[in-house]
Amino acid sequence: MLYVYVAVLVLFVLFFVRKFLKKAAGGPVLLVGMPGAGKTAFLIKAVTGTDPETHTSMQPNRAELPSDTAPKGRGGSVPLVDLPGHMRLRPLLAEHLPKARGVAVFIDSVDLAEAVTGTAELLYSLLTNYKQVVARGLPILIVCNKRELETAFKPAVVKTRLEKELNVLKDTRKNDVVDLGAADHDEVVPLTAGTEAFTFERAAVPVAVCACSVHEGDILDPIAWMWGL
């Protein structure tokens, strides 16, 4: 009789695990970043192939990657949700995280001095969010936009600058509840254990870095990452 109860319990757990994974797999990729990083332009370029002017939005923009951008033999769809970059609208990210399959964080790789602090704060909020990010193993892609410009920093430099800023945040905010709307400390995890320096390789979730040029249509790398989720 015990074996019967164990078998039923295992089937029950597997049912809900499969249900959760199926729901997550069909969820959107969230496009986030500071204003001017290029996430809205990316969405329009990826979906329509055009390069129109964009303006700061106060509402999310929704679309799907065209099926002709999918790898050969890959079915299904990849919904995209472009979230406003203004700090006051950050709660929108908390609303959309539970159903997300991944998060693409766009950063202006030319105006790095201006962009790195806000982008690092956004990444810190994601990487310390236990319930919606860490526990789910939610993949993150850092997209270094504007690679076509001579003054653009290489992805390796952007990565190093973000890691440096994240280590500053790790030391200064170690006693804060800084996740996306959590009400208690059980929702927050540290970037690293103890005094160990943080690198993206030590993050609790997969973090990748790529470069792109939305203006020139050089967006294959982030699109490939999105289809791979």
Side-chain angles (χ1 to χ4, degrees), residues 2 23 28 32 55 72 85 110 120 174:
L2 177 61
K23 180 179 179 181
V32 302
H55 304 279
K72 186 177 181 180
V110 174
K174 58 186 175 182

Side-chain angles (χ1 to χ4, degrees), residues 174-189:
K174 58 186 175 182
N175 296 321
D176 295 346
V177 178
V178 295
D179 70 316
L180 301 170
D184 57 67
H185 289 273
D186 291 337
E187 298 288 342
V188 180
V189 291

Side-chain angles (χ1 to χ4, degrees), residues 9-82:
L9 178 61
V10 170
L11 290 173
F12 182 79
V13 171
L14 287 175
F15 171 78
F16 279 97
V17 168
R18 290 181 62 188
K19 185 176 180 180
F20 170 79
L21 291 176
K22 185 176 181 180
K23 180 179 179 181
V29 175
L30 305 184
L31 311 182
V32 302
M34 303 303 293
K39 55 191 179 52
T40 302
F42 167 85
L43 180 143
I44 295 171
K45 192 79 168 185
V47 174
T48 70
T50 61
D51 192 21
E53 285 189 33
T54 60
H55 304 279
T56 301
S57 174
M58 303 298 284
Q59 298 293 331
N61 299 302
R62 293 178 171 83
E64 285 190 0
L65 285 178
S67 58
D68 60 6
T69 65
K72 186 177 181 180
R74 174 72 157 82
S77 63
V78 178
L80 305 176
V81 178
D82 163 36

Side-chain angles (χ1 to χ4, degrees), residues 7-165:
V8 171
L9 178 61
V10 170
L11 290 173
F12 182 79
V13 171
L14 287 175
F15 171 78
F16 279 97
V17 168
R18 290 181 62 188
K19 185 176 180 180
F20 170 79
L21 291 176
K22 185 176 181 180
K23 180 179 179 181
V29 175
L30 305 184
L31 311 182
V32 302
M34 303 303 293
K39 55 191 179 52
T40 302
F42 167 85
L43 180 143
I44 295 171
K45 192 79 168 185
V47 174
T48 70
T50 61
D51 192 21
E53 285 189 33
T54 60
H55 304 279
T56 301
S57 174
M58 303 298 284
Q59 298 293 331
N61 299 302
R62 293 178 171 83
E64 285 190 0
L65 285 178
S67 58
D68 60 6
T69 65
K72 186 177 181 180
R74 174 72 157 82
S77 63
V78 178
L80 305 176
V81 178
D82 163 36
L83 296 174
H86 198 284
M87 292 291 289
R88 289 191 299 105
L89 301 174
R90 192 61 56 81
L92 286 173
L93 178 53
E95 292 179 19
H96 287 80
L97 269 177
K99 295 182 179 180
R101 73 171 75 180
V103 181
V105 181
F106 284 74
I107 183 170
D108 184 339
S109 61
V110 174
D111 195 5
L112 196 56
E114 184 73 21
V116 71
T117 300
T119 305
E121 289 176 349
L122 173 57
L123 284 165
Y124 188 86
S125 295
L126 289 167
L127 294 169
T128 58
N129 184 318
Y130 176 76
K131 185 176 180 180
Q132 301 300 346
V133 179
V134 176
R136 296 173 57 210
L138 194 68
I140 295 173
L141 176 68
I142 300 170
V143 184
C144 307
N145 188 26
K146 304 183 181 180
R147 70 181 298 177
E148 79 277 5
L149 300 177
E150 291 184 4
T151 53
F153 288 90
K154 300 293 185 184
V157 176
V158 177
K159 175 178 177 292
T160 299
R161 292 282 295 275
L162 286 171
E163 288 172 339
K164 181 179 179 180
E165 191 70 23

